Short mmCIF file of all heavy atoms in Angstrom, two decimals:
data_model
loop_
_atom_site.label_atom_id
_atom_site.label_comp_id
_atom_site.label_asym_id
_atom_site.label_seq_id
_atom_site.Cartn_x
_atom_site.Cartn_y
_atom_site.Cartn_z
N GLY A 1 -11.08 20.70 2.06
CA GLY A 1 -11.40 19.39 2.43
C GLY A 1 -11.01 19.09 3.87
O GLY A 1 -11.41 19.77 4.81
N LEU A 2 -10.24 18.05 3.98
CA LEU A 2 -9.84 17.57 5.31
C LEU A 2 -9.05 18.61 6.08
O LEU A 2 -9.23 18.75 7.30
CB LEU A 2 -9.03 16.28 5.17
CG LEU A 2 -8.57 15.64 6.46
CD1 LEU A 2 -9.73 15.32 7.38
CD2 LEU A 2 -7.75 14.40 6.16
N SER A 3 -8.20 19.34 5.39
CA SER A 3 -7.40 20.35 6.11
C SER A 3 -8.28 21.42 6.74
O SER A 3 -7.99 21.89 7.85
CB SER A 3 -6.37 20.99 5.17
OG SER A 3 -6.99 21.66 4.11
N LEU A 4 -9.38 21.79 6.10
CA LEU A 4 -10.31 22.77 6.68
C LEU A 4 -10.99 22.20 7.93
O LEU A 4 -11.16 22.91 8.93
CB LEU A 4 -11.36 23.20 5.66
CG LEU A 4 -10.87 24.01 4.48
CD1 LEU A 4 -11.98 24.23 3.47
CD2 LEU A 4 -10.31 25.35 4.96
N LEU A 5 -11.37 20.94 7.86
CA LEU A 5 -11.99 20.30 9.03
C LEU A 5 -11.00 20.26 10.19
O LEU A 5 -11.35 20.60 11.32
CB LEU A 5 -12.45 18.88 8.68
CG LEU A 5 -12.98 18.05 9.84
CD1 LEU A 5 -14.22 18.69 10.46
CD2 LEU A 5 -13.25 16.63 9.40
N LEU A 6 -9.76 19.85 9.91
CA LEU A 6 -8.75 19.79 10.96
C LEU A 6 -8.46 21.17 11.54
O LEU A 6 -8.31 21.31 12.75
CB LEU A 6 -7.47 19.15 10.43
CG LEU A 6 -7.58 17.67 10.05
CD1 LEU A 6 -6.30 17.19 9.39
CD2 LEU A 6 -7.95 16.81 11.24
N ASP A 7 -8.42 22.19 10.68
CA ASP A 7 -8.23 23.57 11.17
C ASP A 7 -9.37 23.98 12.10
O ASP A 7 -9.13 24.57 13.16
CB ASP A 7 -8.14 24.55 10.00
CG ASP A 7 -6.85 24.46 9.22
OD1 ASP A 7 -5.89 23.82 9.71
OD2 ASP A 7 -6.80 25.02 8.11
N ALA A 8 -10.59 23.66 11.71
CA ALA A 8 -11.75 24.02 12.54
C ALA A 8 -11.72 23.30 13.88
O ALA A 8 -11.96 23.90 14.93
CB ALA A 8 -13.05 23.70 11.79
N LEU A 9 -11.38 22.02 13.87
CA LEU A 9 -11.30 21.26 15.12
C LEU A 9 -10.18 21.80 16.01
O LEU A 9 -10.31 21.84 17.23
CB LEU A 9 -11.08 19.77 14.82
CG LEU A 9 -12.27 19.06 14.20
CD1 LEU A 9 -11.84 17.69 13.68
CD2 LEU A 9 -13.41 18.94 15.19
N ASN A 10 -9.09 22.21 15.38
CA ASN A 10 -7.98 22.79 16.12
C ASN A 10 -8.39 24.09 16.81
O ASN A 10 -8.03 24.34 17.96
CB ASN A 10 -6.81 23.04 15.17
CG ASN A 10 -5.50 22.58 15.72
OD1 ASN A 10 -5.42 21.89 16.72
ND2 ASN A 10 -4.44 22.97 15.06
N ILE A 11 -9.16 24.90 16.12
CA ILE A 11 -9.65 26.16 16.68
C ILE A 11 -10.61 25.89 17.84
O ILE A 11 -10.53 26.55 18.88
CB ILE A 11 -10.33 27.03 15.59
CG1 ILE A 11 -9.28 27.54 14.60
CG2 ILE A 11 -11.11 28.17 16.21
CD1 ILE A 11 -9.86 28.14 13.34
N LEU A 12 -11.49 24.93 17.68
CA LEU A 12 -12.44 24.59 18.74
C LEU A 12 -11.72 24.08 19.98
O LEU A 12 -12.11 24.39 21.11
CB LEU A 12 -13.44 23.54 18.26
CG LEU A 12 -14.44 24.02 17.22
CD1 LEU A 12 -15.24 22.83 16.69
CD2 LEU A 12 -15.36 25.07 17.79
N ASP A 13 -10.68 23.28 19.79
CA ASP A 13 -9.83 22.79 20.88
C ASP A 13 -10.68 22.29 22.05
O ASP A 13 -10.50 22.70 23.19
CB ASP A 13 -8.87 23.89 21.34
CG ASP A 13 -7.81 23.35 22.28
OD1 ASP A 13 -7.51 22.14 22.23
OD2 ASP A 13 -7.28 24.14 23.08
N ASP A 14 -11.62 21.40 21.75
CA ASP A 14 -12.53 20.87 22.76
C ASP A 14 -12.25 19.39 22.99
O ASP A 14 -12.46 18.57 22.09
CB ASP A 14 -13.97 21.06 22.29
CG ASP A 14 -14.99 20.65 23.31
OD1 ASP A 14 -14.66 19.91 24.26
OD2 ASP A 14 -16.16 21.06 23.16
N PRO A 15 -11.78 19.02 24.17
CA PRO A 15 -11.47 17.61 24.43
C PRO A 15 -12.70 16.70 24.43
O PRO A 15 -12.56 15.48 24.39
CB PRO A 15 -10.81 17.63 25.81
CG PRO A 15 -11.28 18.88 26.44
CD PRO A 15 -11.52 19.87 25.32
N GLU A 16 -13.89 17.28 24.45
CA GLU A 16 -15.12 16.49 24.41
C GLU A 16 -15.49 16.04 22.99
O GLU A 16 -16.36 15.20 22.82
CB GLU A 16 -16.28 17.30 25.00
CG GLU A 16 -16.09 17.66 26.46
CD GLU A 16 -16.14 16.43 27.38
OE1 GLU A 16 -17.02 15.59 27.17
OE2 GLU A 16 -15.29 16.35 28.27
N ILE A 17 -14.84 16.64 21.99
CA ILE A 17 -15.15 16.29 20.60
C ILE A 17 -14.33 15.07 20.20
O ILE A 17 -13.11 15.05 20.31
CB ILE A 17 -14.84 17.46 19.64
CG1 ILE A 17 -15.74 18.65 19.95
CG2 ILE A 17 -15.00 17.01 18.19
CD1 ILE A 17 -15.42 19.89 19.14
N TYR A 18 -15.03 14.03 19.75
CA TYR A 18 -14.39 12.82 19.24
C TYR A 18 -14.63 12.79 17.74
O TYR A 18 -15.77 12.92 17.28
CB TYR A 18 -14.97 11.57 19.91
CG TYR A 18 -14.41 10.30 19.35
CD1 TYR A 18 -13.11 9.88 19.68
CD2 TYR A 18 -15.14 9.52 18.47
CE1 TYR A 18 -12.58 8.73 19.16
CE2 TYR A 18 -14.61 8.36 17.94
CZ TYR A 18 -13.33 7.96 18.29
OH TYR A 18 -12.80 6.83 17.76
N THR A 19 -13.58 12.63 16.96
CA THR A 19 -13.68 12.70 15.51
C THR A 19 -13.23 11.39 14.88
O THR A 19 -12.17 10.86 15.23
CB THR A 19 -12.79 13.84 14.97
OG1 THR A 19 -13.17 15.06 15.61
CG2 THR A 19 -12.94 13.98 13.47
N GLU A 20 -14.05 10.88 13.98
CA GLU A 20 -13.68 9.71 13.19
C GLU A 20 -13.55 10.16 11.74
O GLU A 20 -14.51 10.68 11.16
CB GLU A 20 -14.74 8.61 13.29
CG GLU A 20 -14.78 7.96 14.64
CD GLU A 20 -15.85 6.88 14.74
OE1 GLU A 20 -17.02 7.17 14.39
OE2 GLU A 20 -15.51 5.78 15.14
N ILE A 21 -12.39 9.97 11.17
CA ILE A 21 -12.16 10.26 9.76
C ILE A 21 -12.12 8.90 9.08
O ILE A 21 -11.25 8.07 9.35
CB ILE A 21 -10.85 11.04 9.57
CG1 ILE A 21 -10.94 12.38 10.31
CG2 ILE A 21 -10.56 11.23 8.09
CD1 ILE A 21 -9.65 13.15 10.36
N VAL A 22 -13.12 8.68 8.21
CA VAL A 22 -13.34 7.34 7.69
C VAL A 22 -13.38 7.36 6.16
O VAL A 22 -14.00 8.23 5.56
CB VAL A 22 -14.68 6.77 8.22
CG1 VAL A 22 -14.91 5.36 7.71
CG2 VAL A 22 -14.73 6.81 9.73
N GLY A 23 -12.73 6.38 5.57
CA GLY A 23 -12.78 6.19 4.13
C GLY A 23 -11.39 6.07 3.53
O GLY A 23 -10.40 6.42 4.14
N GLU A 24 -11.36 5.52 2.35
CA GLU A 24 -10.09 5.33 1.66
C GLU A 24 -9.49 6.68 1.28
O GLU A 24 -10.19 7.58 0.85
CB GLU A 24 -10.29 4.48 0.41
CG GLU A 24 -10.67 3.05 0.73
CD GLU A 24 -10.94 2.24 -0.50
OE1 GLU A 24 -11.83 2.64 -1.27
OE2 GLU A 24 -10.28 1.22 -0.69
N SER A 25 -8.19 6.77 1.43
CA SER A 25 -7.48 8.00 1.11
C SER A 25 -6.50 7.75 -0.01
O SER A 25 -5.91 6.67 -0.12
CB SER A 25 -6.72 8.50 2.35
OG SER A 25 -5.89 9.58 2.03
N TRP A 26 -6.31 8.76 -0.85
CA TRP A 26 -5.31 8.65 -1.92
C TRP A 26 -3.91 8.73 -1.35
O TRP A 26 -2.97 8.19 -1.91
CB TRP A 26 -5.51 9.77 -2.95
CG TRP A 26 -6.77 9.63 -3.72
CD1 TRP A 26 -7.90 10.40 -3.58
CD2 TRP A 26 -7.08 8.67 -4.73
NE1 TRP A 26 -8.87 9.97 -4.44
CE2 TRP A 26 -8.39 8.91 -5.17
CE3 TRP A 26 -6.36 7.63 -5.30
CZ2 TRP A 26 -9.00 8.15 -6.15
CZ3 TRP A 26 -6.98 6.87 -6.29
CH2 TRP A 26 -8.27 7.14 -6.70
N ASN A 27 -3.76 9.42 -0.22
CA ASN A 27 -2.44 9.61 0.36
C ASN A 27 -2.51 9.39 1.86
O ASN A 27 -2.61 10.35 2.64
CB ASN A 27 -1.91 11.01 0.02
CG ASN A 27 -0.45 11.16 0.34
OD1 ASN A 27 0.09 10.44 1.17
ND2 ASN A 27 0.18 12.11 -0.32
N VAL A 28 -2.42 8.15 2.27
CA VAL A 28 -2.58 7.78 3.67
C VAL A 28 -1.55 8.47 4.56
O VAL A 28 -1.89 9.02 5.61
CB VAL A 28 -2.48 6.24 3.84
CG1 VAL A 28 -2.52 5.85 5.30
CG2 VAL A 28 -3.58 5.56 3.06
N GLU A 29 -0.30 8.45 4.16
CA GLU A 29 0.75 9.02 4.98
C GLU A 29 0.57 10.53 5.17
O GLU A 29 0.81 11.06 6.25
CB GLU A 29 2.14 8.71 4.41
CG GLU A 29 2.47 7.23 4.46
CD GLU A 29 2.28 6.61 5.84
OE1 GLU A 29 2.72 7.21 6.84
OE2 GLU A 29 1.70 5.51 5.91
N GLN A 30 0.14 11.22 4.12
CA GLN A 30 -0.10 12.66 4.23
C GLN A 30 -1.27 12.94 5.18
O GLN A 30 -1.21 13.86 5.99
CB GLN A 30 -0.38 13.28 2.86
CG GLN A 30 -0.59 14.78 2.90
CD GLN A 30 0.65 15.53 3.36
OE1 GLN A 30 1.73 15.31 2.83
NE2 GLN A 30 0.51 16.39 4.35
N THR A 31 -2.32 12.14 5.07
CA THR A 31 -3.46 12.31 5.96
C THR A 31 -3.05 12.10 7.41
O THR A 31 -3.39 12.90 8.30
CB THR A 31 -4.60 11.34 5.58
OG1 THR A 31 -4.98 11.59 4.22
CG2 THR A 31 -5.80 11.49 6.49
N LYS A 32 -2.30 11.04 7.68
CA LYS A 32 -1.82 10.78 9.04
C LYS A 32 -0.95 11.93 9.53
O LYS A 32 -1.07 12.37 10.67
CB LYS A 32 -1.03 9.48 9.09
CG LYS A 32 -1.88 8.24 8.97
CD LYS A 32 -1.01 6.99 9.00
CE LYS A 32 -1.82 5.74 8.85
NZ LYS A 32 -0.98 4.52 8.85
N SER A 33 -0.09 12.43 8.67
CA SER A 33 0.79 13.55 9.01
C SER A 33 -0.02 14.80 9.33
O SER A 33 0.27 15.50 10.31
CB SER A 33 1.77 13.83 7.88
OG SER A 33 2.53 14.96 8.13
N ASP A 34 -1.03 15.09 8.53
CA ASP A 34 -1.88 16.26 8.76
C ASP A 34 -2.58 16.17 10.12
O ASP A 34 -2.69 17.17 10.83
CB ASP A 34 -2.92 16.41 7.65
CG ASP A 34 -2.33 16.81 6.32
OD1 ASP A 34 -1.15 17.23 6.29
OD2 ASP A 34 -3.03 16.68 5.30
N ILE A 35 -3.05 14.99 10.47
CA ILE A 35 -3.73 14.79 11.75
C ILE A 35 -2.74 14.98 12.89
O ILE A 35 -3.03 15.65 13.88
CB ILE A 35 -4.39 13.40 11.82
CG1 ILE A 35 -5.55 13.32 10.81
CG2 ILE A 35 -4.88 13.10 13.24
CD1 ILE A 35 -6.08 11.92 10.60
N GLU A 36 -1.55 14.40 12.76
CA GLU A 36 -0.54 14.49 13.82
C GLU A 36 -0.04 15.92 14.05
O GLU A 36 0.38 16.25 15.16
CB GLU A 36 0.63 13.57 13.50
CG GLU A 36 0.26 12.10 13.62
CD GLU A 36 1.35 11.17 13.09
OE1 GLU A 36 2.42 11.65 12.67
OE2 GLU A 36 1.10 9.95 13.10
N LYS A 37 -0.11 16.78 13.03
CA LYS A 37 0.36 18.16 13.15
C LYS A 37 -0.57 19.02 14.00
O LYS A 37 -0.20 20.11 14.42
CB LYS A 37 0.51 18.80 11.77
CG LYS A 37 1.67 18.28 10.98
CD LYS A 37 1.70 18.93 9.61
CE LYS A 37 2.70 18.25 8.71
NZ LYS A 37 2.63 18.78 7.34
N THR A 38 -1.78 18.55 14.24
CA THR A 38 -2.75 19.32 15.02
C THR A 38 -2.60 18.99 16.50
O THR A 38 -1.91 18.05 16.87
CB THR A 38 -4.19 19.00 14.58
OG1 THR A 38 -4.52 17.68 15.01
CG2 THR A 38 -4.37 19.12 13.08
N LYS A 39 -3.30 19.76 17.32
CA LYS A 39 -3.33 19.47 18.75
C LYS A 39 -4.57 18.66 19.12
O LYS A 39 -4.86 18.47 20.29
CB LYS A 39 -3.25 20.76 19.56
CG LYS A 39 -4.35 21.75 19.28
CD LYS A 39 -4.13 23.04 20.04
CE LYS A 39 -5.16 24.07 19.61
NZ LYS A 39 -4.94 25.34 20.26
N ILE A 40 -5.28 18.17 18.13
CA ILE A 40 -6.50 17.40 18.34
C ILE A 40 -6.12 16.04 18.93
O ILE A 40 -5.26 15.34 18.40
CB ILE A 40 -7.27 17.21 17.02
CG1 ILE A 40 -7.55 18.55 16.36
CG2 ILE A 40 -8.56 16.45 17.26
CD1 ILE A 40 -7.97 18.42 14.92
N LYS A 41 -6.77 15.68 20.01
CA LYS A 41 -6.44 14.43 20.70
C LYS A 41 -7.36 13.27 20.35
O LYS A 41 -6.92 12.15 20.23
CB LYS A 41 -6.48 14.65 22.22
CG LYS A 41 -5.54 15.72 22.71
CD LYS A 41 -4.11 15.27 22.58
CE LYS A 41 -3.18 16.29 23.19
NZ LYS A 41 -2.11 16.72 22.34
N ASN A 42 -8.62 13.52 20.21
CA ASN A 42 -9.60 12.46 20.03
C ASN A 42 -9.96 12.24 18.56
O ASN A 42 -11.07 12.53 18.12
CB ASN A 42 -10.87 12.76 20.83
CG ASN A 42 -10.60 12.84 22.31
OD1 ASN A 42 -9.77 12.10 22.82
ND2 ASN A 42 -11.27 13.74 22.99
N VAL A 43 -8.99 11.72 17.80
CA VAL A 43 -9.20 11.47 16.38
C VAL A 43 -8.90 10.01 16.08
O VAL A 43 -7.85 9.49 16.48
CB VAL A 43 -8.29 12.35 15.49
CG1 VAL A 43 -8.47 12.01 14.03
CG2 VAL A 43 -8.56 13.82 15.72
N GLU A 44 -9.82 9.36 15.39
CA GLU A 44 -9.57 8.01 14.89
C GLU A 44 -9.61 8.07 13.38
O GLU A 44 -10.55 8.59 12.79
CB GLU A 44 -10.62 7.03 15.41
CG GLU A 44 -10.36 5.62 14.95
CD GLU A 44 -11.35 4.62 15.50
OE1 GLU A 44 -12.23 5.00 16.28
OE2 GLU A 44 -11.24 3.45 15.11
N TYR A 45 -8.57 7.56 12.76
CA TYR A 45 -8.47 7.55 11.29
C TYR A 45 -8.64 6.12 10.81
O TYR A 45 -7.85 5.24 11.16
CB TYR A 45 -7.13 8.13 10.86
CG TYR A 45 -6.86 8.08 9.38
CD1 TYR A 45 -7.83 8.48 8.47
CD2 TYR A 45 -5.65 7.65 8.90
CE1 TYR A 45 -7.59 8.45 7.11
CE2 TYR A 45 -5.39 7.61 7.54
CZ TYR A 45 -6.37 8.02 6.65
OH TYR A 45 -6.13 7.97 5.31
N ILE A 46 -9.67 5.88 10.03
CA ILE A 46 -9.97 4.55 9.50
C ILE A 46 -9.85 4.63 7.98
O ILE A 46 -10.74 5.13 7.29
CB ILE A 46 -11.39 4.10 9.91
CG1 ILE A 46 -11.52 4.12 11.43
CG2 ILE A 46 -11.69 2.71 9.35
CD1 ILE A 46 -12.93 3.96 11.94
N ASP A 47 -8.73 4.17 7.46
CA ASP A 47 -8.43 4.26 6.03
C ASP A 47 -8.83 2.96 5.33
O ASP A 47 -8.02 2.07 5.12
CB ASP A 47 -6.95 4.53 5.81
CG ASP A 47 -6.61 4.56 4.33
OD1 ASP A 47 -7.34 5.20 3.56
OD2 ASP A 47 -5.62 3.90 3.94
N ARG A 48 -10.10 2.85 5.04
CA ARG A 48 -10.59 1.70 4.29
C ARG A 48 -12.01 1.98 3.81
O ARG A 48 -12.68 2.89 4.30
CB ARG A 48 -10.56 0.43 5.13
CG ARG A 48 -11.52 0.44 6.31
CD ARG A 48 -11.52 -0.90 7.04
NE ARG A 48 -12.38 -0.87 8.19
CZ ARG A 48 -13.70 -1.02 8.18
NH1 ARG A 48 -14.34 -1.21 7.05
NH2 ARG A 48 -14.39 -0.99 9.30
N TYR A 49 -12.42 1.20 2.87
CA TYR A 49 -13.79 1.26 2.39
C TYR A 49 -14.71 0.78 3.51
O TYR A 49 -14.40 -0.19 4.20
CB TYR A 49 -13.95 0.36 1.16
CG TYR A 49 -15.38 0.21 0.71
CD1 TYR A 49 -15.97 1.19 -0.08
CD2 TYR A 49 -16.13 -0.89 1.09
CE1 TYR A 49 -17.29 1.07 -0.49
CE2 TYR A 49 -17.46 -1.02 0.69
CZ TYR A 49 -18.02 -0.04 -0.09
OH TYR A 49 -19.32 -0.15 -0.49
N VAL A 50 -15.81 1.47 3.71
CA VAL A 50 -16.81 1.01 4.68
C VAL A 50 -18.07 0.61 3.93
O VAL A 50 -18.46 1.25 2.95
CB VAL A 50 -17.12 2.07 5.77
CG1 VAL A 50 -15.92 2.31 6.64
CG2 VAL A 50 -17.62 3.35 5.18
N THR A 51 -18.69 -0.46 4.39
CA THR A 51 -19.92 -0.93 3.77
C THR A 51 -21.06 0.03 4.06
O THR A 51 -20.96 0.89 4.94
CB THR A 51 -20.29 -2.33 4.30
OG1 THR A 51 -20.61 -2.21 5.69
CG2 THR A 51 -19.16 -3.33 4.08
N GLU A 52 -22.16 -0.15 3.36
CA GLU A 52 -23.34 0.68 3.61
C GLU A 52 -23.83 0.50 5.05
O GLU A 52 -24.25 1.47 5.69
CB GLU A 52 -24.45 0.34 2.63
CG GLU A 52 -24.17 0.84 1.23
CD GLU A 52 -25.32 0.58 0.28
OE1 GLU A 52 -26.49 0.48 0.74
OE2 GLU A 52 -25.06 0.50 -0.93
N GLU A 53 -23.76 -0.72 5.55
CA GLU A 53 -24.19 -0.99 6.92
C GLU A 53 -23.29 -0.27 7.93
O GLU A 53 -23.77 0.31 8.91
CB GLU A 53 -24.20 -2.50 7.21
CG GLU A 53 -25.25 -3.27 6.44
CD GLU A 53 -24.84 -3.59 5.00
OE1 GLU A 53 -23.63 -3.48 4.65
OE2 GLU A 53 -25.72 -3.93 4.20
N GLU A 54 -21.98 -0.32 7.69
CA GLU A 54 -21.05 0.38 8.58
C GLU A 54 -21.26 1.89 8.51
O GLU A 54 -21.23 2.58 9.53
CB GLU A 54 -19.60 0.06 8.20
CG GLU A 54 -19.17 -1.36 8.51
CD GLU A 54 -17.80 -1.66 7.96
OE1 GLU A 54 -17.59 -1.52 6.74
OE2 GLU A 54 -16.93 -2.02 8.77
N ALA A 55 -21.47 2.40 7.31
CA ALA A 55 -21.72 3.84 7.14
C ALA A 55 -22.99 4.24 7.89
O ALA A 55 -23.01 5.27 8.57
CB ALA A 55 -21.82 4.20 5.67
N ALA A 56 -24.03 3.43 7.79
CA ALA A 56 -25.28 3.73 8.49
C ALA A 56 -25.04 3.78 10.00
O ALA A 56 -25.54 4.67 10.69
CB ALA A 56 -26.33 2.68 8.15
N ASP A 57 -24.24 2.85 10.51
CA ASP A 57 -23.93 2.84 11.95
C ASP A 57 -23.15 4.10 12.34
O ASP A 57 -23.45 4.73 13.36
CB ASP A 57 -23.12 1.59 12.30
CG ASP A 57 -22.78 1.53 13.77
OD1 ASP A 57 -23.72 1.64 14.60
OD2 ASP A 57 -21.59 1.38 14.10
N LEU A 58 -22.17 4.48 11.53
CA LEU A 58 -21.39 5.69 11.80
C LEU A 58 -22.30 6.92 11.82
O LEU A 58 -22.20 7.77 12.70
CB LEU A 58 -20.30 5.88 10.76
CG LEU A 58 -19.13 4.90 10.82
CD1 LEU A 58 -18.31 4.97 9.55
CD2 LEU A 58 -18.28 5.18 12.03
N PHE A 59 -23.19 7.03 10.83
CA PHE A 59 -24.10 8.17 10.75
C PHE A 59 -25.05 8.20 11.94
O PHE A 59 -25.33 9.26 12.50
CB PHE A 59 -24.91 8.15 9.45
CG PHE A 59 -24.10 8.39 8.21
CD1 PHE A 59 -24.53 7.90 7.00
CD2 PHE A 59 -22.92 9.11 8.23
CE1 PHE A 59 -23.79 8.13 5.84
CE2 PHE A 59 -22.17 9.34 7.09
CZ PHE A 59 -22.62 8.84 5.88
N ASN A 60 -25.55 7.04 12.32
CA ASN A 60 -26.52 6.99 13.43
C ASN A 60 -25.92 7.40 14.77
O ASN A 60 -26.62 7.95 15.61
CB ASN A 60 -27.12 5.58 13.54
CG ASN A 60 -28.16 5.32 12.47
OD1 ASN A 60 -28.84 6.23 12.03
ND2 ASN A 60 -28.27 4.08 12.05
N ARG A 61 -24.67 7.11 14.99
CA ARG A 61 -24.09 7.45 16.29
C ARG A 61 -23.43 8.82 16.31
O ARG A 61 -22.99 9.28 17.36
CB ARG A 61 -23.11 6.37 16.73
CG ARG A 61 -21.86 6.25 15.94
CD ARG A 61 -20.97 5.17 16.55
NE ARG A 61 -19.67 5.22 15.96
CZ ARG A 61 -19.00 4.18 15.54
NH1 ARG A 61 -19.51 2.99 15.67
NH2 ARG A 61 -17.80 4.32 15.02
N ALA A 62 -23.40 9.50 15.17
CA ALA A 62 -22.75 10.81 15.09
C ALA A 62 -23.70 11.95 15.47
O ALA A 62 -24.90 11.88 15.19
CB ALA A 62 -22.24 11.04 13.67
N ASP A 63 -23.15 12.97 16.08
CA ASP A 63 -23.90 14.20 16.31
C ASP A 63 -23.81 15.10 15.07
O ASP A 63 -24.75 15.83 14.77
CB ASP A 63 -23.34 14.96 17.51
CG ASP A 63 -23.59 14.24 18.82
OD1 ASP A 63 -24.69 13.67 18.97
OD2 ASP A 63 -22.70 14.24 19.68
N VAL A 64 -22.67 15.03 14.38
CA VAL A 64 -22.44 15.82 13.18
C VAL A 64 -21.73 14.95 12.16
O VAL A 64 -20.84 14.18 12.51
CB VAL A 64 -21.55 17.06 13.49
CG1 VAL A 64 -21.21 17.82 12.23
CG2 VAL A 64 -22.21 17.96 14.51
N VAL A 65 -22.12 15.08 10.90
CA VAL A 65 -21.45 14.37 9.81
C VAL A 65 -20.95 15.40 8.81
O VAL A 65 -21.69 16.29 8.40
CB VAL A 65 -22.42 13.39 9.10
CG1 VAL A 65 -21.74 12.73 7.90
CG2 VAL A 65 -22.92 12.33 10.07
N VAL A 66 -19.68 15.30 8.44
CA VAL A 66 -19.07 16.20 7.46
C VAL A 66 -18.65 15.33 6.27
O VAL A 66 -17.90 14.37 6.45
CB VAL A 66 -17.84 16.94 8.05
CG1 VAL A 66 -17.21 17.83 7.00
CG2 VAL A 66 -18.23 17.71 9.29
N LEU A 67 -19.15 15.67 5.10
CA LEU A 67 -18.84 14.90 3.90
C LEU A 67 -18.14 15.77 2.86
O LEU A 67 -18.46 16.96 2.75
CB LEU A 67 -20.14 14.36 3.29
CG LEU A 67 -20.97 13.45 4.17
CD1 LEU A 67 -22.34 13.21 3.55
CD2 LEU A 67 -20.26 12.13 4.39
N PRO A 68 -17.23 15.18 2.10
CA PRO A 68 -16.62 15.96 1.01
C PRO A 68 -17.62 16.13 -0.12
O PRO A 68 -18.56 15.34 -0.26
CB PRO A 68 -15.45 15.08 0.57
CG PRO A 68 -15.88 13.70 0.91
CD PRO A 68 -16.72 13.82 2.15
N TYR A 69 -17.42 17.14 -0.89
CA TYR A 69 -18.30 17.35 -2.05
C TYR A 69 -17.47 17.55 -3.26
O TYR A 69 -16.47 18.17 -3.29
CB TYR A 69 -19.19 18.59 -1.82
CG TYR A 69 -20.21 18.73 -2.89
CD1 TYR A 69 -21.35 17.95 -2.90
CD2 TYR A 69 -20.03 19.62 -3.94
CE1 TYR A 69 -22.29 18.07 -3.91
CE2 TYR A 69 -20.96 19.75 -4.95
CZ TYR A 69 -22.09 18.97 -4.93
OH TYR A 69 -23.01 19.11 -5.93
#
């Protein structure tokens, strides 16, 4: 899940990549800790439910979308 995405972003180590991690988390503090352990600089963590309209806006402005399955 998220740890694989963070590992991949860490390997890429590209300051041009901006990452938004969006959605409610079961363990907010663990998620924040996992993000802080990386060298990734451009990460925004939004821990809340997003409406369909907000999700559509996020998808429209993204170059890549990664979803859990």
Side-chain angles (χ1 to χ4, degrees):
L2 181 58
S3 62
L4 292 173
L5 174 62
L6 294 173
D7 288 346
L9 290 168
N10 226 11
I11 291 168
L12 290 172
D13 191 25
D14 185 342
E16 297 293 316
I17 296 175
Y18 176 75
T19 304
E20 290 179 308
I21 299 171
V22 181
E24 293 177 302
S25 172
W26 292 107
N27 192 336
V28 175
E29 294 308 314
Q30 182 64 51
T31 301
K32 288 179 181 179
S33 175
D34 290 346
I35 293 168
E36 290 171 3
K37 288 178 190 174
T38 70
K39 58 184 173 183
I40 305 165
K41 302 291 185 232
N42 298 324
V43 176
E44 182 178 357
Y45 176 47
I46 303 168
D47 177 47
R48 66 175 177 81
Y49 172 81
V50 294
T51 66
E52 287 184 26
E53 293 81 15
E54 290 173 302
D57 181 53
L58 289 166
F59 292 154
N60 283 329
R61 68 177 191 226
D63 292 321
V64 175
V65 176
V66 179
L67 300 169
Y69 187 78

